[in-house]
Amino acid sequence: MSLFDQKVSDLHELLHKKEITVSDLVETSYKRISEVEGKVQAFLTLDEENARHKAKALDERIGQADEKGLLFGMPIGIKDNIVTKNLRTTCASKILENFDPIYDATVMGKLHQAETVTIGKLNMDEFAMGSSTENSGFKDTRNPWSLDRVPGGSSGGSAAAVAAGEVLFSLGSDTGGSIRQPASFCGVVGMKPTYGLVSRFGLVAFASSLDQIGPVTRTVEDNAYLLKAIAGHDEMDSTSANVAVPDYVSALSGDIKGLKIAVPKEYLGEGVKEEVKQSVLDALKVLEKLGASWEEVSLPHSKYALSTYYLLSSSEASANLSRFDGVRYGYRSPDAQNLLDMYKMTREQGFGDEVKRRIMLGTFALSSGYYDAYYKKAQKVRTLIKKDFEDIFQKYDVIIGPTTPTPAFKIGENLADPMTMYVNDILTIPVNLAGVPGISVPCGFSEGLPLGLQIIGKHFDESLVYKVAHAFEQATDYHKQKPQL
Amino acid sequence: MSRISTDQVKHVANLARLAITEEEANTLTQQLDKIITFAEQLNEVDTDHVEPTSHVLEIKNVMREDVAKPGLPNEEVLKNAPEHQDGQIKVPPIIE
């Protein structure tokens, strides 16, 4: 039994009753890391000395007037594309192998205010491009449920570390499914908030119109607490939405009577494994028992989401990643004799294959003569995909389907052909294109591997998404299962 | 018919400032051709009267007060620079 088997709110109470200390929580993390990290390989950098130091300082203040908030003293892991001041931030790329940020991302500032303790930085696909964490420039993270399988990606380290009990919770980022898909593969809860709800300042940009930071946790309640802590308007991010952040936890009443659920037929169609479909149909039965009703609907442009996504996200990436040129930070090729060669050799040697492939695709789609045919066309189809969601939300409260077409696949299985890897994200990508919030919660197992239920809401309707996810979680016990490591 | 030639791939690599090898150029030609061919399914969709979406929220022209603020300290700017001299970032020759 680990302390991390308990919810944040319970741990907070134990801290206040002086039954545990912040140091106990932090040591729970590092002890577990020493036991299982050799197998799981979720972390790129540990921040042990600072974490222990901070834990001691926080322990002095438990119960005092300036100690506030439920997240006080809670150990957290951070995806390595979120910049952390004076703590190495690599994006799992050789090009940033020794990058030591001089400022904190806005979410880190908010976590400092909430007084969480950062345990370390988590592995990911290089620059968040991938669905398996195999594109990391440093190591393969393994799925705690089956070590020969991928944890999903790109936030594979964030999901694996939580599933393995190495941290209580973590932050990930989601551009096309990168929080929800690994959460599904690792049997944990992962939320991609509405675009604009969480500041992207200090999130190393992949596709700026799609990227969002979000929480990965063991329970829906913990997820709601963590989102509340990191959400909110930020003048440092011009795409940050100026909306009030509600108290998500107060929405977790369990009461979903009269809820109207839309189930897109495209999400239970071709390519979706039979056990996955069945787990969703079983989940819908659970929700019906709780007083919800569901109907089959259509999101007719779903089949175009993958193409749209790869054109748009790669185009944005090709522009965003132009900043890695060997001049101001990161790796510089020692071989070049002039500036132009320095750019080219630095980028050639510093980036991995998938990142180069996407930069190439994006540069092509934006290049003269092809811009209208590819980039602008994809932007127009994006409008239609977004409208599909708006139409459904005229009549229904939430959309439900699987998070992924299959459970976690084997390491190496999808590496040969980029297209087979891309298909993993067909059920999560439309949500990013529409900018709406989506969560993945555990909803079953297939041959011992976790499956995830995806619940999608209207813009800024995270409260309802959490309410439904929580009601489902409380009526089932999938979230109580843990991997044997 | 292939959608992209190896020469085009080399041209795009130059635009993207990537010194790709001959072998990479060949592999990328095949892979990009496959991805672009797949992406051309978008041509099935009638978008004649559809506005492009670059951004999902109704936020436009976010302005702030034009007030000067202190910049970053020189030592912080140089902290991660691969090479620097006399408080400035150093790069290889630009003009030969």
Side-chain angles (χ1 to χ4, degrees), chain A residues 399-410:
Chain A
I399 296 172
I400 286 184
T403 307
T404 61
T406 67
F409 46 88
K410 288 211 162 103

Side-chain angles (χ1 to χ4, degrees), chain A residues 3-4 8 11 15 20-30 33 43 51 55 58 70-78 111 115-120 162 165-171 216 226:
Chain A
L3 282 175
F4 297 165
V8 166
L11 292 172
L15 278 176
I20 60 167
T21 63
V22 175
S23 296
D24 293 337
L25 289 169
V26 168
E27 293 313 321
T28 299
S29 259
Y30 288 118
I33 288 168
F43 282 90
L58 293 180
L70 266 169
L71 299 187
F72 180 91
M74 300 295 160
I76 190 165
I78 306 294
L111 289 179
E115 307 202 88
T116 60
V117 182
T118 300
I119 296 299
V162 173
E166 294 182 306
V167 283
L168 182 60
F169 46 32
S170 65
L171 291 186
V216 180
L226 187 50

Side-chain angles (χ1 to χ4, degrees), chain A residues 243-475:
Chain A
V243 294
V245 180
D247 178 10
Y248 301 118
V249 175
S250 67
L252 308 182
S253 62
D255 179 10
I256 56 162
K257 279 191 201 71
L259 182 85
K260 285 188 267 179
I261 302 168
V263 180
K265 63 180 184 203
E266 292 83 3
Y267 284 29
L268 295 173
E270 205 185 325
V272 179
K273 204 178 167 194
E274 208 49 51
E275 286 102 316
V276 172
K277 285 183 203 173
Q278 196 53 52
S279 74
V280 172
L281 294 173
D282 291 346
L284 290 167
K285 280 189 196 129
V286 171
L287 295 169
E288 273 181 327
K289 270 194 186 160
L290 296 170
S293 61
W294 67 275
E295 284 178 333
E296 190 176 274
V297 300
S298 176
L299 294 168
H301 296 92
S302 293
K303 66 172 172 171
Y304 301 112
L306 193 64
S307 301
T308 304
Y309 172 81
Y310 275 94
L311 288 171
L312 295 180
S313 65
S314 301
S315 297
E316 292 184 25
S318 73
N320 277 325
L321 271 62
S322 64
R323 60 169 58 85
F324 301 104
D325 56 7
V327 175
R328 292 155 298 163
Y329 37 68
Y331 171 77
R332 175 187 289 189
S333 170
D335 310 326
Q337 302 303 312
N338 64 56
L339 187 69
L340 189 59
D341 281 351
M342 194 274 281
Y343 293 151
K344 288 184 178 180
M345 291 162 96
T346 292
R347 291 163 63 78
E348 169 67 14
Q349 293 161 14
F351 290 137
D353 287 343
E354 181 64 27
V355 172
K356 284 191 249 181
R357 193 153 43 236
R358 299 212 199 179
I359 289 173
M360 289 289 293
L361 177 63
T363 307
F364 173 75
L366 291 175
S367 64
S368 173
Y370 297 95
Y371 180 89
D372 283 349
Y374 295 108
Y375 181 71
K376 201 162 183 190
K377 181 78 184 181
Q379 282 194 316
K380 288 181 174 181
V381 179
R382 182 177 184 181
T383 304
L384 297 173
I385 290 167
K386 185 177 169 229
K387 189 169 176 299
D388 279 356
F389 280 88
E390 287 162 1
D391 290 347
I392 297 296
F393 284 131
Q394 296 281 329
K395 275 182 70 183
Y396 300 90
D397 301 311
V398 291
I399 296 172
I400 286 184
T403 307
T404 61
T406 67
F409 46 88
K410 288 211 162 103
I411 290 173
E413 192 178 319
N414 285 340
L415 280 182
D417 180 357
M419 287 301 298
T420 60
M421 186 69 90
Y422 296 172
V423 170
N424 268 291
D425 299 328
I426 49 170
L427 305 173
T428 46
I429 277 172
V431 172
N432 300 77
L433 290 169
V436 292
I439 198 170
S440 179
V441 285
C443 74
F445 291 88
S446 168
E447 291 163 23
L449 299 169
L451 303 172
L453 185 73
Q454 186 175 207
I455 304 166
I456 302 160
K458 297 169 199 168
H459 285 136
F460 302 109
D461 204 8
E462 278 79 3
S463 288
L464 183 62
V465 172
Y466 277 135
K467 180 192 268 196
V468 178
H470 176 258
F472 176 75
E473 176 191 73
Q474 295 305 302

